[in-house]
Structures are given as C-alpha cells and as structure tokens.
C-alpha cells in the first residue's frame, strides 16, 4: 500500500514537472522568432532607439514570467529592428535634413592673437566658420588666413579697405572687391562670397548687380564690436540662435575669442553643427547666386 502511494506521488511529480517545463520550451528564442505573436510592434516603435526594449514582451506574461532571463531575447528580434528609420545610414538624406546647422562668421580680420585663438577653438572641436576678411589685412597677416583655409574654413571678401559701398562709384566698388579677391588668389584661396562693410547695400541693387556674386549678411547680430563683453556675446548667440542662422562676430577682439571658447562646446552640446556658409546652403540644396542671403531657414 505504502509502495503504491509512493508510486502515485512520483507519478504526480513527473506530470507536474513535464507540465512546468512546457512554458519554458515555448519561449525559447527560436520558437519566439518563429511565432508571429511576438513580432507585433506598436506603430510608435520605429521612432525609438534600436536598443529600446520592445513592449510586446508583456503581451504574453504567463509564458515569460517563469524564465525572466529569456525576456531579453525577445526585444531585439530582427523583425523589430528592420524599419526604414532604424536602418537609415548616417549621412543619409533623413539625417542631413534633421541636423541643426549654423554658420559662425567673423568680419574685419585677420588679426594676430584673436584670430589665432578663434582658430585654436575651431580646430580643437573640429568645427568650421567663415571669415570675411579685409584685403589689406590679408596682405599683412597671410598666415592666419592660410591656417583658417587649411582647417576647412571658408574665406569671404569684406573689401580691401572697409568703406561703405553705397558711397562709392562703380569703379571704386569693383577695385575694393577685386583687390581682395586678388590677395586671396595669391595665397591660393578661391572665394565667391562677399559681405559689404556695415551690411550696407543700396536700394536699387546697383552694388548687387555690379559685383554679381552672393552677398552674405546675417540673422544673429552679437554686436561684439560695441559691447566688447564676453558674456554679452554669449547671451546674444544662445538666446537667439536657431537652425539655419548666420551669426555675425568680429575676430578683432579678445572678448570675442573668449566668447567663442565658451560658445563652441555649448552649441555642440545643444545639438548644433558649425559649418561654413557654402555648407549651410549646400546641405539644404540651395545654390548661391547673385542675391542677398541672411539665413538658411
Ligand atoms: Zn566690417
């Protein structure tokens, strides 16, 4: 009688053991991937990071709970990973269009000291800017212009002696512009952009038609020449800057170089990439022509 009871108990344990193993077998990774119910994906999932745990693992809690470690094998199933967003390669059109880009521009240089420090900061963070140089200063300080160009920065024309263009005759305007392009060409630097001193153009577009190249103005004015104050420059940029902006500064002042040392890492932290004027428009598919440009929004 006692032996029969033992056999009965053993039989009951054996049945329980088999029954208890069954769920674990069902949630093995191979079965999970083969079972359609586990690849149900909410429509919001493609917008999440690839390593975000998939919420669908909770769709069958009874099967998953006995073996918690198996849960991990469900979330990165190939079916979930393959979506257009998640498989987009870096540098694709989608990536290019969603990045925030701005162009820092520096006028009136080059100058010893302040231009060097701004270039040091750009080089340190692997970023680029555009320098609208004065031709007579290019002839005085060619090393700074050469270095900026070698770092991938863009060089624009800010006239040879910085006069207000509306006050000049046609011949005087072209002399100011061409002399600076000649100074740059002697350094092996080709440029197509210009910025008129003071941003001053004329109402009938005489200057624009005469020069026949892209005229680059700005959308964020730091007024660094006026304040000569690092904190004021930082505030002017950070409180105003948006994707596509062109920021005006001057590389003549130590206070501007100080501001740039803070601004560049801070702008990178805020998700901005610092590019040249040509890159700013190029990534948006805009060909620069004989027009006035203030931003690329
Ligand atoms: Zn200027």
């Amino acid at each position: 009688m006692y032996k029969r009871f033992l056999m009965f108990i053993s039989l009951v344990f054996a049945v329980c053991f088999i029954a208890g193993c069954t769920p674990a077998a069902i949630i093995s990774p191979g079965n999970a991937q083969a079972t359609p119910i586990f690849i149900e994906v909410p429509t919001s999932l493609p917008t999440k990071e690839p390593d975000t745990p998939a919420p669908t693992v909770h769709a069958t809690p009874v099967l998953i709970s006995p073996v918690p470690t198996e849960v991990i094998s469900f979330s990165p199933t190939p079916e979930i990973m393959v979506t257009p967003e998640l498989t987009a390669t870096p540098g694709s059109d989608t990536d290019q269009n969603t990045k925030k880009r701005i162009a820092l521009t520096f006028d009136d240089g080059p100058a010893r000291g302040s231009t060097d420090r701004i270039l040091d900061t750009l080089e340190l963070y692997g970023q680029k800017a555009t320098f609208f140089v004065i031709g007579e200063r290019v002839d005085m300080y060619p090393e700074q212009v050469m270095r900026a160009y070698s770092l991938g920065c863009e060089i624009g024309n800010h006239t040879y002696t910085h006069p207000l263009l509306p006050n000049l005759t046609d011949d005087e305007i072209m002399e100011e512009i061409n002399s600076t392009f000649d100074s740059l060409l002697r350094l092996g630097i080709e440029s197509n952009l210009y910025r008129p001193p003071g941003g001053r153009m004329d109402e009938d577009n005489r200057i624009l038609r005469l020069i026949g190249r892209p005229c680059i103005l700005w959308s964020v004015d730091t007024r660094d020449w006026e304040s000569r104050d690092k904190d004021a420059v930082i505030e002017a940029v950070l409180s105003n800057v948006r994707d596509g902006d062109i920021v005006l500064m001057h590389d003549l002042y130590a206070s501007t170089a100080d501001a740039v040392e803070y601004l560049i890492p801070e702008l990178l932290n805020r998700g901005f990439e610092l590019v040249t004027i040509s890159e700013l428009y190029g990534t948006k598919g805009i060909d620069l022509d004989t027009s006035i440009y203030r931003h690329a929004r």
Side-chain angles (χ1 to χ4, degrees):
M1 185 63 187
Y2 180 66
K3 282 182 180 177
R4 281 186 182 180
F5 177 72
L6 279 180
M7 286 177 65
F8 175 73
I9 292 298
S10 300
L11 190 60
V12 167
F13 270 107
V15 168
C16 288
F17 179 76
I18 292 166
C21 284
T22 303
I26 289 173
I27 61 165
S28 68
N31 284 348
Q33 289 176 2
T35 308
I37 191 170
F38 293 113
I39 59 171
E40 175 195 349
V41 183
T43 53
S44 61
L45 188 62
T47 62
K48 297 183 177 182
E49 293 297 320
D51 57 356
T52 302
T56 48
V57 295
H58 302 300
T60 54
V62 174
L63 297 178
I64 292 167
S65 55
V67 190
T69 55
E70 294 289 341
V71 173
I72 297 168
S73 68
F74 285 99
S75 49
T77 56
E79 291 82 358
I80 292 173
M81 296 290 284
V82 179
T83 63
E85 288 80 4
L86 296 178
T87 56
T89 54
S92 67
D93 286 345
T94 302
D95 182 61
Q96 292 289 320
N97 291 334
T98 55
K99 262 193 161 177
K100 293 192 293 184
R101 292 184 180 82
I102 58 171
L104 300 185
T105 65
F106 299 92
D107 289 10
D108 295 0
R112 282 209 177 111
S114 47
T115 303
D116 295 301
R117 288 181 54 208
I118 289 166
L119 292 174
D120 289 344
T121 309
L122 288 166
E123 185 175 18
L124 179 64
Y125 292 98
Q127 301 299 300
K128 291 180 247 177
T130 301
F131 292 83
F132 287 95
V133 294
I134 295 175
E136 63 181 0
R137 299 186 67 86
V138 173
D139 293 342
M140 291 164 62
Y141 307 112
E143 322 84 52
Q144 280 84 356
V145 186
M146 294 286 287
R147 183 184 171 206
Y149 192 63
S150 70
L151 291 176
C153 292
E154 188 161 23
I155 310 298
N157 187 329
H158 197 44
T159 73
Y160 197 77
T161 63
H162 207 265
L164 295 179
L165 296 184
N167 299 338
L168 304 187
T169 65
D170 289 2
D171 286 347
E172 288 169 338
I173 289 171
M174 291 317 296
E175 175 67 19
E176 284 284 338
I177 293 294
N178 288 335
S179 295
T180 298
F181 279 133
D182 289 345
S183 293
L184 293 172
L185 276 176
R186 282 195 291 275
L187 300 177
I189 298 172
E190 288 197 38
S191 174
N192 188 42
L193 311 177
Y194 72 98
R195 173 176 286 166
R200 293 281 299 278
M201 296 292 274
D202 49 11
E203 291 183 1
D204 61 4
N205 287 330
R206 172 182 67 112
I207 300 167
L208 191 67
R209 286 196 306 271
L210 188 65
I211 297 176
R213 298 170 185 257
C215 171
I216 309 299
L217 298 183
W218 56 85
S219 50
V220 175
D221 186 356
T222 63
R223 301 189 74 81
D224 58 339
W225 57 272
E226 189 176 49
S227 72
R228 310 281 180 97
D229 181 86
K230 167 193 170 185
D231 294 332
V233 174
I234 292 169
E235 171 67 14
V237 174
L238 295 183
S239 62
N240 292 300
V241 75
R242 291 186 286 157
D243 178 39
D245 268 332
I246 298 174
V247 179
L248 171 64
M249 290 187 272
H250 298 78
D251 53 323
L252 295 179
Y253 311 113
S255 50
T256 297
D258 292 340
V260 167
E261 286 175 0
Y262 179 87
L263 278 171
I264 290 183
E266 180 59 25
L267 288 167
L268 294 176
N269 284 340
R270 295 184 183 204
F272 289 100
E273 182 184 5
L274 309 181
V275 298
T276 66
I277 292 290
S278 291
E279 290 170 338
L280 186 68
Y281 286 94
T283 54
K284 292 182 182 291
I286 299 170
D287 291 328
L288 295 170
D289 57 19
T290 304
S291 302
I292 296 174
Y293 297 88
R294 292 181 172 82
H295 54 75
R297 291 198 289 268

